[in-house]
Amino acid sequence: MEAVEKRKQIPYTALQKSEGIYAIWFLVGILAGTLIFNFHGGRYTEQFLIAMNLSQMGYQQVKILHGRLLWYILERRGKRFLLLWFCEMTRFQKQVRFFFALYYGLSAGILQSALCHQRGILGVLEFILLLFPHYFFYGLDWKGMQGFVRKERKGVLAFKILLIFFIGVIVEAYFNTAILQKYYEFITLVR
């Protein structure tokens, strides 16, 4: 009888609620990044466009040394990865998550605005290609790290987190660069 009287509850955990809050901070970062680029981007546009053109020429003309790129990405992403993982074990984990969600949103907003400024609608496609598929794996890692201290079987979880991180680095170094090379070949043909 008591079960009938209870209201139906939608399954909704605290983790899902916090993910929504981080998504909101990420979107706020994207909006702020877009505004920053649009209001102050004139100062940096020329330098950014030169860097993007050099990057594009590198993808088009140079055979990429994937081994060196792999170690470079591992070093760059590894520092942030370890910092995030360490902070998940402290009492400042939520503040760090908010900061990183806002920081990555801000960075994404600036990058997207600059690419759209330079390439128009193709800038949206380039933005997506620059971030995916490897950021899918990094997102899975971030989700796996949340609440790491409270979870059981930490050894198995740590192995999974590290494995997914290394898969993301490998995908970024090999698969993503191949996609970007094809995209820049396409851009050259379209012009």
Side-chain angles (χ1 to χ4, degrees), residues 4 9-10 13 15 30 56 61 92 94-95 99 101 112 119 124 130 139 145 160-161 178 180:
V4 175
Q9 294 181 356
I10 299 172
T13 65
L15 184 62
I30 287 178
Q56 179 180 349
Q61 298 173 357
F92 301 108
K94 288 184 181 179
Q95 292 85 354
F99 171 77
Q112 181 187 16
R119 304 213 199 290
V124 175
L130 284 169
M145 283 183 217
K160 288 179 182 178
I161 289 171
L180 286 171

Side-chain angles (χ1 to χ4, degrees), residues 21-31 98 100-106 108-109 127 131:
I21 292 170
Y22 300 134
I24 289 170
W25 277 96
F26 182 76
L27 292 175
V28 167
I30 287 178
L31 291 174
F98 284 128
F100 270 91
L102 186 64
Y103 168 76
Y104 281 111
L106 187 69
F127 173 74
L131 297 180

